[in-house]
Amino acid sequence: MPVRSANPIRARSLIRDNLEKQAGSLNLIHSRMPNIKVFSGTSHPDLAQRIVDRLGIDLGKVVTKKFSNLETCVEIGESVRGEDVYIVQSGSGEINDNLMELLIMINACKIASASRVTAVIPCFPYARQDKKDKLAGGEDKEENKKLAKKNYDWKFRSRAPISAKLVANMLSVAGADHIITMDLHASQIQGFFDIPVDNLYAEPAVLKWIKENIPEWKNSIIVSPDAGGAKRVTSIADRLNVEFALIHKERKKANEVASMVLVGDVKDKIAILVDDMADTCGTIVHAADRLVEAGATKVYAILTHGIFSGPAISRINNACFEAVVVTNTIPQDGHMRDCPKIQCIDVSMMFAEAVRRTHNGESVSYLFSNVPY
């Protein structure tokens, strides 16, 4: 809109003021997020796009391809010299290829003189291989039977690798300066790194979902499907001011169905199973059956990482769940199409806020108990 004035000096002054205001507003926008680049791997581009949309910036240009011998090739399509770089890659899908792609992207940015490289890994790969277990039995009965036929030594796993530590070493050697992840299978994995690790929690988003989507949540009980998740469910139960229970699994042999002992009273209550991840879903389905037998009126399952491999989807479809709620740390569109019981909580705003606070040198502890709006 042109500035009209009878006085030419006054007109020039108004034009100068308008230009200064526009320049000031542009400088304000750039001063909020200077020297930052966010790149996405191929594992979860939708989450990366949601993160940059929240930050108000564009996704960085990167080309990922495979040679005919299936080697991964990554080309960063813009300058990262002196930039604060964030690479979003989740441990899902073709995990080994995605992990290698992440390592190559980190190294490519590092040797291109990036000031700092942060790996944003919503679901940390190999997190379950964090120790040498005494018992080796898994939850998948068919896999256990195959191993039993091979005379597998079920009693001890003295020769098992600690693969989570290996992944930590690989990320550090590739050049990562910082890791942002969510709900590590074991919090002690942070100690595998010699670089800073921010382990975000899905708990605030879970609490918000429970209050908004379960009308009778005050008559609920929070249940852990195994003893290892007791700390997680007690924290949620305390914040909701409800009771908690847990299920203790007893395995006598690997190819034998585990007996489940329920500790707590769920009769005439809404049972909410909470766990950090579900893969083949054998444990949570057995747990749901046990809760219904014990008198629970409804059963919900809330999981941070919905891997859903193998027979998981068919098991959920045939189970007695009202809903199985997961976050989008792993792509869920295909799972939601195949199973109407699956619902998704968007946690992109938590990662976006963690990126913003990290870039600006602010504390991220606010995110441990609050959902950013």
Side-chain angles (χ1 to χ4, degrees):
M1 183 87 181
V3 178
R4 299 181 182 277
S5 175
N7 187 339
I9 297 174
R10 173 64 177 160
R12 284 197 296 271
S13 176
L14 288 171
I15 291 170
R16 187 172 60 251
D17 288 346
N18 285 337
L19 289 173
E20 285 175 356
K21 283 180 183 177
Q22 290 173 12
S25 64
L26 288 171
N27 288 334
L28 180 62
I29 291 169
H30 291 300
S31 68
R32 285 174 186 161
M33 302 294 287
N35 305 107
I36 182 172
K37 293 284 172 69
V38 179
F39 296 99
S40 172
T42 56
S43 68
H44 204 343
D46 176 61
L47 180 64
Q49 188 61 53
R50 287 170 181 264
I51 289 171
V52 295
D53 288 346
R54 172 87 179 188
L55 293 173
I57 60 176
D58 294 326
L59 202 57
K61 296 173 185 174
V62 60
V63 177
T64 307
K65 58 187 177 184
K66 278 187 167 38
F67 294 130
S68 58
N69 66 348
L70 299 183
E71 281 184 5
T72 299
C73 175
V74 174
E75 295 175 6
I76 306 298
E78 55 192 270
S79 173
V80 295
R81 184 177 296 275
E83 303 279 354
D84 190 10
V85 174
Y86 295 82
I87 301 171
V88 182
Q89 182 82 308
S90 195
S92 60
E94 296 177 347
I95 291 177
N96 296 325
D97 284 352
N98 290 337
L99 176 58
M100 195 66 206
E101 181 182 288
L102 173 62
L103 297 171
I104 293 171
M105 289 179 75
I106 291 169
N107 191 249
C109 292
K110 201 67 182 175
I111 62 177
S113 302
S115 174
R116 178 175 63 176
V117 180
T118 300
V120 181
I121 313 173
C123 179
F124 193 84
Y126 291 91
R128 285 176 287 183
Q129 299 183 41
D130 62 331
K131 60 182 178 296
K132 293 185 178 182
D133 280 335
K134 186 176 178 182
L135 280 174
E139 67 177 39
D140 194 317
K141 291 187 289 180
E142 294 303 317
E143 186 63 25
N144 292 341
K145 287 176 183 176
K146 289 177 187 176
L147 292 170
K149 286 179 182 177
K150 295 179 182 178
N151 296 319
Y152 186 83
D153 179 7
W154 291 103
K155 194 172 183 183
F156 294 103
R157 290 183 71 181
S158 59
R159 293 168 294 280
I162 304 177
S163 303
K165 169 63 174 170
L166 176 62
V167 172
N169 289 342
M170 290 164 70
L171 289 165
S172 298
V173 171
D177 299 299
H178 182 207
I179 305 292
I180 298 174
T181 186
M182 178 171 276
D183 273 358
L184 285 169
H185 188 63
S187 295
Q188 292 85 342
I189 291 174
Q190 294 172 84
F192 292 168
F193 290 89
D194 293 323
I195 57 177
V197 178
D198 284 320
N199 180 30
L200 306 178
Y201 300 103
E203 181 182 307
V206 167
L207 291 166
K208 185 171 179 283
W209 188 92
I210 290 172
K211 290 177 180 177
E212 291 178 355
N213 295 276
I214 304 179
E216 297 126 17
W217 63 267
K218 291 184 179 178
N219 186 39
S220 65
I221 184 166
I222 313 298
V223 185
S224 173
D226 54 44
K231 187 175 179 182
R232 187 181 300 108
V233 300
T234 52
S235 175
I236 292 174
D238 287 345
R239 292 189 65 179
L240 290 174
N241 196 25
V242 297
E243 295 180 3
F244 72 93
L246 61 87
I247 292 172
H248 174 61
K249 291 184 291 187
E250 291 180 347
R251 283 196 180 95
K252 294 179 181 177
K253 292 181 184 176
N255 58 348
E256 210 172 89
V257 178
S259 63
M260 290 193 159
V261 180
L262 175 63
V263 182
D265 182 17
V266 299
K267 188 172 176 60
D268 298 327
K269 290 182 180 177
I270 297 170
I272 304 173
L273 278 163
V274 176
D275 207 354
D276 66 315
M277 67 170 63
D279 191 353
T280 57
C281 292
T283 298
I284 63 164
V285 167
H286 284 128
D289 293 339
R290 183 71 188 86
L291 291 168
V292 171
E293 289 171 11
T297 56
K298 293 179 182 176
V299 180
Y300 292 83
I302 301 180
L303 317 157
T304 304
H305 310 297
I307 300 169
F308 301 144
S309 64
I313 297 298
S314 62
R315 284 176 174 174
I316 293 171
N317 280 326
N318 297 327
C320 55
F321 294 113
E322 293 291 317
V324 175
V325 184
V326 293
T327 69
N328 61 341
T329 56
I330 292 173
Q332 298 295 341
D333 291 343
H335 298 146
M336 292 170 73
R337 281 194 300 269
D338 297 335
C339 180
K341 291 182 182 179
I342 295 175
Q343 299 181 32
C344 190
I345 299 173
D346 182 17
V347 291
S348 61
M349 77 288 288
M350 300 186 77
F351 284 104
E353 185 65 10
V355 167
R356 188 194 69 78
R357 286 170 177 259
T358 301
H359 176 68
N360 292 333
E362 301 172 19
S363 171
V364 299
S365 58
Y366 171 83
L367 300 174
F368 296 161
S369 55
N370 298 277
V371 179
Y373 291 97

